[in-house]
């Protein structure tokens, strides 16, 4: 889940929504796993520089500190991730978002057969990034690969190169070639989202409709009335059942949003093999 | 979940079963809550004296140490509990089983309006037991009340007095009077189970059929072939879908089993008001 | 440790000081315990209303989230506590600060023989406060007793009544009568500190000298040059060895500071028996 | 700390000794760090096959489950490690002992400049072992390197090759070349210990004297009277101050003990460069 727009109290989107992400951590309806209780993370931007991280291996639904932070931190841009571990240990260093300088990265998906690919993929990292891998998830390696391939200059191309490299490596190794890649990337000024799968339907990803549409559909909703042009939510699973509020991002597509601006770019996401 | 019979490796019942309790912690089908990820506990008896406890506030499904213990500890009598917190904090001191000397106690249920009754109920404790309450659950207070009312001499009567006291206190205070009480109590030699609710259907509770029935129904099942007369499993939710294997304990009933013996006693559970 | 003055980044006082409180958690020099690794808590005030809490059962020195928060949260008033458990479990609900509405409470010390007094003291609580006790520390009960005795109207008198009650209860029960009570209390606008022991020297407590003294002593210190009139630090143990910077609060004394104001009141702390 | 001899209740050596290892975790006297509160691990052998592990990121002194296990598990061979993190995160996957099949590995020491060497060292692993590295410590990589170099056939030579490789890599990279290597290795039948440093004094390592010496020195000590020939304790820091009980392992030396047998081998430990 990502918020990008006017400054809001994190609480409003995290706990004061129907079927919000913390609720989804306990019983998701669209996700691959109904329970996402293997840790979570919150990354938020404040005035300047590096975003803050709060990550925990506890389930989001029972973490008292998360409620405290949400009730006291206001931010114009934040990302929240709830985790269902697939094999790798439940530990803080395996929780998203991952961070590098101003950059945050979250991933809903997986690299099939990752344990068999891990060595090749870590060898493909910029050698200086090798020691920056502290945990054991596929996501952290994907993020460091994307940084190796220029994420800070052109995030989408870097991710296309990253996914292309992973797919090529898997094929070369005779492994299952399947990358499930719903990504969120942010530097505080722009938010990029990718919805991709090597084959089959990618994991779901939605964005909110523009403010005019929302107001036209729900003219009397008090909370929605506070939306301003340029406010955006991106979610794996819609928060509520208000029809018309959510636009599904098409499969194998990337989108980008400037802060408080319009949708800047929507284009096919096409992995680039090395 | 409780095992009572020949010594078995805990692993066999905890992780090597279809829809076992750890699996149930992630997605229960019959429980009040589909997810029981707010801590768990394992209590087991070895040769003599006090049983051992392993309790954790992590979800059972992701706890690496639980898998280690289960794979290395053999016991003739053990109880496992997975928790879905209803209001009280997720902390080790709120995890079942609770222990006093040779006694272990688990509870699947709740006392309605407990925060409003907590003071009255704690005043009703034997004063020497007051400081033994380390956590904040209703279950721990129920256990100390039952000890106050003679659990060590006559567990079922002590529990009937305890539930009777709670119901009377709730009525006197004008609170919701509802005790959901599936209890398990063990001293290593005898296992008692209670299935009770003040009104409405009590939470489910099952015991395995006798070994002859099991063998007649499933003559070719390798694992079931190892069952000996007197082996018993008690569960909130059946482990598998083998029809005929499980007997539902009737509502508002208590049962007791001597170790390796026959069903000793089955009788109505009738709260006794003070 | 408490800060009360101009808004500062928590990091500056928590991690960027020589022998700061996190460092003290690992090796205190004046405390009763050299290691305070049994959890910690941070409470801070922002614009309005209730202060925020971040509490953890991990040692302060290794908590990655504490470093994140400290690097991103600016506050004019915050309290930090590091804990050395004496008997009671290491759990979040046993970590200071404790909170009630706008009020925060920290305690460096203990009530001797507390397990024997716990029942009497909890019975002396306003009955409505009974269920607000979630953990098992003496401090939480002292705080609720002080609230029962009017902390929100007159904190020092309420604490004098609380300590008087505890001492009387201990004597009546034939227990060791010893309260070690270095307290910090804050409502965001005023900060109260108490240094008291029933007998013997109370645990150490220091406050910073006024800004004029500091500047006269250390005219060239860059960091101290930023101090403004009315800025105050209160600590159990001085952060550094700069002589003259720290004033010891005399034994059995209470002090209070208005925000950004002068020392408002310093007077003997005299327990009031019921 | 390692026990190797007659079966004992772990509790006897862990908690019922003066200045035992849990006590040392809180205030070591000889170690590089006075506090070792960044997690711990216990590995023990039972009848057959793979040893069991209990590892936690909590400090050993406050872990309730460790006390339970120690009071209920009897073993003829167990290793305990308390950790002071130097840079790497406090997480279970960074806690010793590390395990492979029947093998356990603990390390008191460090590889200087490890982050700069990590890539080269992980490339030197048998490729099939790459994905077995779940955490981020130097120790885990050393263990996997030793397995790569034949630990299962000849542990001391494998460790000499491992340390030789690390030292050569450090020199080639222009990094500080310093390996502090007090190692413990066990397969359940034999226990190997190494005390080595590239330069300067290696971290301390002691073994108990033979049972005849102990009985001659302390003929009236009740606990020591139970020692049998072949019982051995190996510790970083002596448990008590009984002079004569402990033999310091000489610097840059390896020793090995067969279970219940005599010291099998003591020889210089000499790193072997590739």
């Amino acid at each position: 889940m990502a918020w990008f727009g006017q400054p809001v109290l994190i609480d409003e989107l995290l706990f004061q929504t129907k079927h919000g992400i913390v609720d989804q951590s306990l019983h998701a309806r669209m996700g691959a796993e109904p329970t996402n209780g293997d840790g979570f993370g919150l990354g938020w931007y404040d005035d300047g520089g590096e975003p803050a991280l709060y990550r925990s291996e506890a389930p989001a639904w029972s973490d008292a500190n998360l409620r405290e932070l949400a009730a006291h931190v206001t931010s114009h841009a934040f990302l929240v991730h709830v985790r269902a571990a697939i094999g790798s240990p439940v530990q803080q260093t395996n929780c998203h978002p991952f961070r590098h300088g101003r950059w945050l990265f979250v991933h809903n998906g997986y690299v099939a057969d990752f344990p068999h690919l891990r060595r090749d993929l870590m060898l493909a990292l910029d050698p200086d990034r090798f020691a920056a891998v502290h945990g054991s998830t596929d996501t952290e390696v994907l993020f460091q690969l994307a940084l190796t391939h220029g994420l800070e200059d052109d995030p989408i191309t870097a991710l296309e190169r990253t996914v292309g490299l992973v797919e090529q490596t898997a094929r070369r190794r005779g492994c299952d070639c399947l990358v499930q890649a719903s990504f969120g990337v942010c530097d505080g000024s722009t938010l990029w989202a990718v919805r991709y799968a090597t084959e089959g339907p990618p994991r779901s990803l939605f964005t909110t409709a523009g403010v005019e549409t929302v107001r036209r559909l729900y003219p009397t909703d008090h909370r929605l009335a506070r939306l301003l042009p340029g406010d955006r939510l991106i979610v794996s699973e819609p928060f509520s059942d208000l029809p018309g509020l959510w636009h599904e991002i098409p499969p194998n597509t990337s989108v980008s949003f400037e802060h408080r601006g319009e949708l800047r770019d929507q284009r096919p996401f096409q992995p680039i093999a090395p």
Side-chain angles (χ1 to χ4, degrees), chain A:
Chain A
M1 192 268 280
W3 170 257
F4 208 55
Q6 59 177 309
V8 296
L9 194 62
I10 290 172
D11 201 43
E12 290 191 52
L13 293 171
L14 220 53
F15 293 105
Q16 296 174 18
T17 52
K18 234 171 110 174
H19 199 59
I21 190 168
V22 173
D23 191 30
Q24 287 173 28
S25 71
L26 200 47
H27 23 75
R29 289 174 297 191
M30 310 182 72
E33 296 291 338
T35 307
N36 293 274
D38 299 326
F40 68 89
L42 161 67
W44 72 93
Y45 291 86
D46 41 27
D47 304 337
E50 200 170 82
L53 283 184
Y54 175 61
R55 303 191 295 176
S56 166
E57 67 275 23
W61 65 76
S62 66
D63 192 275
N65 289 316
L66 179 60
R67 283 172 200 265
E68 291 288 325
L69 281 180
H72 286 273
V73 173
T74 293
S75 172
H76 69 279
F78 59 92
L79 288 81
V80 183
H81 186 269
V82 294
R83 185 169 177 247
I86 324 169
S88 57
V90 176
Q91 57 191 23
Q92 220 168 295
T93 53
N94 283 352
C95 293
H96 315 200
F98 294 96
R99 179 179 62 194
H100 174 78
R102 290 187 57 81
W103 295 80
L104 291 178
F105 185 71
V106 293
H107 173 210
N108 178 15
Y110 60 89
V111 172
D113 256 344
F114 179 67
H116 292 105
L117 307 179
R118 195 179 177 212
R119 183 176 189 270
D120 288 351
L121 297 180
M122 284 189 70
L123 291 198
L125 294 177
D126 174 347
D128 290 346
R129 299 199 171 283
F130 195 95
V133 176
H134 295 294
S136 52
T137 57
D138 47 7
T139 302
E140 193 180 15
V141 175
L142 292 175
F143 181 43
Q144 294 292 337
L145 281 172
L147 285 163
T148 298
H149 287 102
L151 180 96
E152 292 165 282
D153 294 323
D154 180 349
I156 297 303
T157 305
L159 287 167
E160 287 173 331
R161 288 187 194 283
T162 295
V163 172
L165 170 71
V166 174
E167 291 178 342
Q168 189 195 60
T169 305
R171 286 195 191 98
R172 211 182 52 225
R173 284 273 170 206
C175 291
D176 279 354
C177 179
L178 176 52
V179 181
Q180 268 285 3
S182 288
F183 296 128
V185 182
C186 193
D187 68 354
S189 308
T190 305
L191 176 68
W192 294 263
V194 170
R195 183 179 176 217
Y196 172 80
T198 308
E199 57 185 56
R203 299 221 171 153
S204 57
L205 199 62
F206 295 84
T207 179
T208 40
V211 61
E212 303 76 20
T213 313
V214 173
R215 287 193 183 150
R216 200 181 58 242
L217 282 166
Y218 300 97
T220 60
D221 185 297
H222 191 65
R223 195 161 45 115
L224 295 177
R226 289 168 44 203
L227 277 181
L228 294 181
D231 286 350
R232 296 274 168 191
L233 254 174
I234 300 191
V235 295
S236 295
E237 195 167 312
F239 278 13
S240 63
D241 300 319
L242 308 178
L245 187 57
W246 302 95
H247 288 178
E248 191 170 2
I249 295 175
N252 306 332
T253 299
S254 71
V255 295
S256 67
F257 304 92
E258 277 184 90
H259 188 239
R260 311 304 307 275
E262 288 307 294
L263 174 65
R264 210 176 55 178
D265 194 21
Q266 171 162 338
R267 58 177 170 106
F269 183 86
Q270 295 170 316
I272 301 167

